[in-house]
Amino acid sequence: MHLMSVCLHRRMWSHITLFPHASHMEWGRAIARRLLHDGLLKLHPDVSKAIASQKAVVALESTIITHGMPYPENLTMAKEVEQIVKEHGAVPATVGIVKGKVHVGLSESDLEYLAESKETVKISRRDLPYVLSKGLSGGTTVSATMVAAHKVGIPVLVTGGIGGVHRDGQNTLDISADLTELGRTPMAVVSAGVKSILDIGRTLEYLETNGVCVATFGETREFPAFFLPKSGFQSPYNVTDEEEAAKLIANAQVIGQDSGVLIAVPIPEDHAASSLVIDDAIQQAVTEARDKGIRGKDVTPFILERIYEITEGLSLAINIALIKNNARVGSRIARVLARQKVPKYHPSSQLFIEKAGAAAKPVVIGGCNIDFIVKLDGSEMMLGGPTNSSNMRQSIGGVGRNLAECLSRLGMNPLFISAVGADRSGDATLRYCCQMDTSGVAMLREQRTAMYCAVISRTGELNLGLGDMNIHLQITPQYVSRFEEQIRSASVICLDGNISATTINYVCSFAKEHGIPVLFEPTDPCNARKPFETDGWKALAYTTPNLMELQAMNRALGLPVTAELPRELDGVIDAALEMSRPLLKHLQCVIVSLGREGVLLCSTSEDGEICLQPRKDPQTSAGQLCAIHYPAIAVRAEEVLNVSGAGDCLTAGIIAGLLSGQETNTCVRMGLLAASYSVRSQEAISTSISADSVNPQRVLENTWLQPQYHAPTSRGA
């Protein structure tokens, strides 16, 4: 089976995303969006801006401020740690709860309040509902900090040391919530291991049971014990520097691992000499705590205070040095991790230039859906009432959304303009898209998030499609006009046929006035007609139809078309070329999906070469009609996992090539590469797609079938 066989029925699949993880996690992660709207979660402006622009952000817990150190040393330490994070290229996001609000990033006044207040509480995951409902304030432990940080998309947390299994924990079941949080939240936690007051061996066993990847930062696998550089136990792995650590974390994200990563950083050597003194104090404090019957979350604050008293303040100095060192290491890791999402190739194109003083980037305007796919087990669907045995999946989809996600993964950072309802589905959609620029997505209280259900036969044919897409009509010209400044400076505009004809015509008119190339993604034969029923289509530079959609475009123009489309490749190419002819009086290129046979570029040319880069004068179409056929990448049938996003990835890859100034062959092959990742993935837009996996260098490393040039037959010339 070939890759682009999926594109033959591409429109059938255009709203269907075979995303296997549409479970409670999507709904759980959607809480952050609801919290933001309800005012329960407050993002510091610097943190919000950094997350939106995909810069490095480091989350910091706050129990070390409220319960770990005396005032004013705690406040000084907190400010110095935040400054270290900034100096190492990241944005600090100290998490705390102030008067019943979760703050991700604390203002100076809030930081001072938490440091100085005597009424703050120690807040773990279990305490969050109560503390919020009572309007209390407090410091968040590692577990509660992870909950908040993960919901807003921060991948790295820095702390002094995590909690663990307490001594005799096998009998008391006194186990820190930090460990279970690491087992269910995909974040990287950078710490000096766990405190030596805990049962380190059982802590490591518990982390293993929960699927947490543990690695020591350094040349050995010696697992540190907070004040002690060596605990006597070994980590399963070690990473020698921030590059290796970031790569480990990135791969955990790529495979969709639901558990976290613990990076254990030994205390710096220049402080290790004091470790024996502190270790003796630890043993004394542990004994006192046991004798006094102190248990649960009161144990650690008691022991730390006693260690401080016994060592006459030495432990505090080392504690501060330790957290500062972790902040340096964690910030460097976060910076490398963020940099991995940035394209390593950006040759400039003279035609895609900076406009209005801001870097040009794509704008995608289109649909955003919750999709349901029902695949029948039987050979035929039984009508009239009987239950049909089937497999069902749920996903986040929509052609415009798919395009925007793939472009984001390729480092193009598009603005996505769409609409969702102010409901759980809208929350889930926006949360799932948190790495995209969704500032153009309206959340409408009186509307339902778009839903699409497809009933698919066992062989992949569409038996029945059901859609509730009325919300897309709310993407009106009036709403889109709010983003005129961003659209005016866009490098390219991508329109999804799900939006109204009125909005399509408005955008085309605006783009023509400002000289912005527009790509129209038809989505299906009905939507394909929309721009062609007025003169709006004359502002298009590109369109990406299949043969049926191209036929619908010709019909909308009032042109005669054959009722039955050809099936053989030569006939298909001839028909596509002839039906592209009237469109190419104004469009620069018609990119026709040929299913399993690949993709066909139709344009006009004087030398037999097709140039995808926008013309300086978009209305000129000098040259002879011609086409170039690019064969599909071969994919074995057993490798094909999903057919929902291949066409969207093909389009996004071509656009990414255009925006990076590549010549036509490279642009098309970048699209084919992106599509090949899509069909091998459970998700519509594979998490393996990135600027590292789809770029001109990767094109050069692959072996390709040669493209074939075609001219009109004498019959159609």
Side-chain angles (χ1 to χ4, degrees):
M1 180 176 177
H2 289 79
L3 158 68
M4 297 310 295
S5 63
V6 302
C7 294
L8 185 61
H9 303 291
R10 181 160 67 109
R11 310 310 170 195
M12 173 187 77
W13 292 96
S14 63
H15 299 291
I16 307 166
T17 311
L18 299 180
F19 180 62
H21 304 300
S23 64
H24 66 280
M25 288 193 66
E26 270 63 49
W27 302 118
R29 287 158 62 183
I31 293 173
R33 183 71 58 172
R34 176 63 63 197
L35 288 172
L36 283 166
H37 282 284
D38 292 346
L40 290 176
L41 190 151
K42 294 184 178 295
L43 274 176
H44 190 281
D46 292 346
V47 176
S48 178
K49 183 178 179 182
I51 292 173
S53 58
Q54 298 184 342
K55 292 182 179 178
V57 182
V58 171
L60 301 167
E61 52 106 341
S62 53
T63 49
I64 194 171
I65 302 170
T66 58
H67 293 78
M69 294 182 187
Y71 180 83
E73 287 89 348
N74 57 351
L75 178 59
T76 302
M77 176 277 306
K79 290 181 177 180
E80 289 176 349
V81 168
E82 287 196 345
Q83 184 59 36
I84 288 170
V85 173
K86 293 176 183 177
E87 290 172 355
H88 286 79
V91 175
T94 303
V95 176
I97 296 184
V98 180
K99 299 177 181 177
K101 309 293 183 185
V102 180
H103 288 246
V104 180
L106 292 171
S107 67
E108 188 170 340
S109 61
D110 289 333
L111 199 59
E112 291 177 356
Y113 169 74
L114 289 180
E116 193 173 4
S117 175
K118 301 298 184 182
E119 298 180 354
T120 54
V121 293
K122 185 178 180 182
I123 303 164
S124 186
R125 167 188 268 267
R126 70 159 189 188
D127 309 306
L128 285 168
Y130 181 81
V131 170
L132 295 177
S133 66
K134 292 295 184 179
L136 303 179
S137 300
T140 51
T141 64
V142 168
S143 67
T145 303
M146 289 178 72
V147 170
H150 177 59
K151 289 186 187 303
V152 298
I154 300 174
V156 177
L157 182 152
V158 165
T159 184
I162 64 168
V165 178
H166 284 253
R167 298 184 184 189
D168 200 33
Q170 70 274 21
N171 296 316
T172 65
L173 297 183
D174 192 352
I175 301 170
S176 170
D178 295 352
L179 303 188
T180 50
E181 200 63 46
L182 273 163
R184 61 186 167 193
T185 302
M187 281 190 69
V189 175
V190 179
S191 81
V194 299
K195 300 176 182 67
S196 59
I197 61 175
L198 302 170
D199 189 328
I200 296 175
R202 285 192 170 91
T203 296
L204 288 171
E205 289 289 347
Y206 194 89
L207 288 170
E208 178 186 356
T209 300
N210 282 274
V212 179
C213 181
V214 179
T216 297
F217 189 86
E219 298 295 333
T220 73
R221 294 193 293 115
E222 291 284 352
F223 187 77
F226 200 64
F227 292 121
L228 305 174
K230 298 179 181 179
S231 65
F233 294 90
Q234 299 276 306
S235 294
Y237 312 106
N238 71 297
V239 287
T240 58
D241 55 27
E242 55 266 30
E243 297 284 344
E244 285 192 11
K247 188 173 182 180
L248 184 152
I249 296 164
N251 278 295
Q253 294 174 345
V254 165
I255 64 174
Q257 190 161 300
D258 292 337
S259 52
V261 173
L262 176 63
I263 304 296
V265 184
I267 189 172
E269 287 296 329
D270 52 348
H271 293 284
S274 304
S275 299
L276 293 178
V277 176
I278 295 176
D279 194 41
D280 289 340
I282 290 171
Q283 302 310 316
Q284 180 181 336
V286 169
T287 300
E288 292 179 11
R290 184 174 60 247
D291 292 345
K292 291 178 181 292
I294 297 172
R295 296 183 178 277
K297 66 180 182 179
D298 296 326
V299 172
T300 300
F302 172 82
I303 290 177
L304 290 178
E305 184 176 353
R306 284 297 293 135
I307 294 171
Y308 174 78
E309 294 169 352
I310 296 168
T311 63
E312 298 180 346
L314 176 62
S315 65
L316 178 60
I318 295 179
N319 195 357
I320 292 173
L322 178 149
I323 184 64
K324 288 182 177 179
N325 184 61
N326 291 352
R328 293 185 192 96
V329 173
S331 301
R332 296 201 304 265
I333 293 172
R335 188 183 63 207
V336 175
L337 187 62
R339 193 172 66 232
Q340 289 183 354
K341 299 177 183 178
V342 178
K344 295 183 178 178
Y345 65 98
H346 273 296
S348 60
S349 167
Q350 293 181 346
L351 290 168
F352 289 111
I353 61 174
E354 293 190 354
K355 300 180 181 181
K361 65 179 187 178
V363 172
V364 180
I365 308 173
C368 195
N369 315 324
I370 296 290
D371 295 334
F372 299 88
I373 174 172
V374 181
K375 191 167 187 179
L376 299 173
D377 291 334
S379 57
E380 294 183 2
M381 184 167 70
M382 298 181 292
L383 301 176
T387 299
N388 288 267
S389 176
S390 59
N391 292 308
M392 301 183 186
R393 291 179 183 268
Q394 177 184 315
S395 66
I396 309 294
V399 171
R401 194 215 65 85
N402 288 348
L403 273 173
E405 181 185 349
C406 192
L407 285 168
S408 295
R409 292 188 176 279
L410 294 174
M412 297 295 113
N413 192 29
L415 169 66
F416 180 42
I417 299 175
S418 188
V420 297
D423 49 26
R424 290 184 68 198
S425 298
D427 283 336
T429 300
L430 290 173
R431 189 64 217 125
Y432 181 74
C433 300
C434 64
Q435 299 302 322
M436 297 160 46
D437 182 355
T438 56
S439 59
V441 179
M443 181 172 266
L444 306 177
R445 293 193 177 277
E446 302 301 322
Q447 297 288 329
R448 294 185 301 274
T449 299
M451 300 279 182
Y452 182 82
C453 177
V455 180
I456 308 298
S457 72
R458 190 168 56 185
T459 58
E461 300 293 330
L462 178 65
N463 282 351
L464 179 66
L466 302 170
D468 180 359
M469 304 285 188
N470 289 338
I471 193 170
H472 293 153
L473 298 178
Q474 302 303 314
I475 310 172
T476 62
Q478 291 77 16
Y479 178 71
V480 174
S481 67
R482 299 181 188 180
F483 306 94
E484 281 191 353
E485 183 177 347
Q486 295 97 313
I487 297 173
R488 187 180 292 111
S489 63
S491 53
V492 64
I493 301 170
C494 302
L495 295 178
D496 165 350
N498 284 303
I499 63 178
S500 70
T502 304
T503 302
I504 290 173
N505 289 328
Y506 161 73
V507 175
C508 286
S509 176
F510 185 88
K512 183 177 180 180
E513 179 183 350
H514 295 280
I516 308 164
V518 179
L519 180 144
F520 175 60
E521 168 64 50
T523 75
D524 64 38
C526 292
N527 289 335
R529 300 176 59 93
K530 290 179 180 177
F532 297 90
E533 291 173 339
T534 68
D535 285 342
W537 72 275
K538 296 179 180 178
L540 300 177
Y542 315 98
T543 187
T544 55
N546 62 21
L547 204 60
M548 290 179 64
E549 292 158 357
L550 188 55
Q551 182 188 52
M553 293 172 180
N554 275 252
R555 282 178 172 156
L557 291 173
L559 300 173
V561 292
T562 178
E564 186 174 348
L565 295 174
R567 295 180 178 271
E568 297 299 323
L569 179 60
D570 287 344
V572 167
I573 291 176
D574 285 346
L577 195 50
E578 286 306 316
M579 288 192 289
S580 295
R581 184 191 295 273
L583 276 58
L584 291 170
K585 292 178 180 178
H586 296 279
L587 275 70
Q588 180 165 338
C589 187
V590 178
I591 303 168
V592 186
S593 172
L594 298 181
R596 63 191 176 114
E597 301 295 347
V599 62
L600 185 74
L601 267 58
C602 300
S603 187
T604 56
S605 173
E606 294 179 341
D607 56 8
E609 299 289 334
I610 292 178
C611 178
L612 285 177
Q613 293 292 343
R615 301 186 184 108
K616 293 181 180 179
D617 181 1
Q619 297 305 311
T620 60
S621 57
Q624 298 298 313
L625 181 66
C626 65
I628 299 178
H629 171 221
Y630 290 84
I633 296 175
V635 177
R636 295 193 304 273
E638 59 270 22
E639 292 181 299
V640 177
L641 301 178
N642 185 358
V643 295
S644 63
D648 302 325
C649 289
L650 173 70
T651 301
I654 291 173
I655 294 170
L658 280 171
L659 298 185
S660 60
Q662 303 303 316
E663 48 81 32
T664 299
N665 282 353
T666 301
C667 290
V668 176
R669 286 165 175 170
M670 284 175 62
L672 292 171
L673 269 177
S676 71
Y677 280 109
S678 176
V679 295
R680 292 182 173 98
S681 168
Q682 292 283 5
E683 296 87 359
I685 310 301
S686 170
T687 55
S688 297
I689 295 174
S690 70
D692 288 330
S693 62
V694 178
N695 62 43
Q697 182 60 39
R698 298 300 185 196
V699 168
L700 291 174
E701 293 170 358
N702 273 269
T703 301
W704 301 89
L705 295 174
Q706 287 300 308
Q708 299 296 315
Y709 176 85
H710 294 266
T713 62
S714 58
R715 180 178 67 257

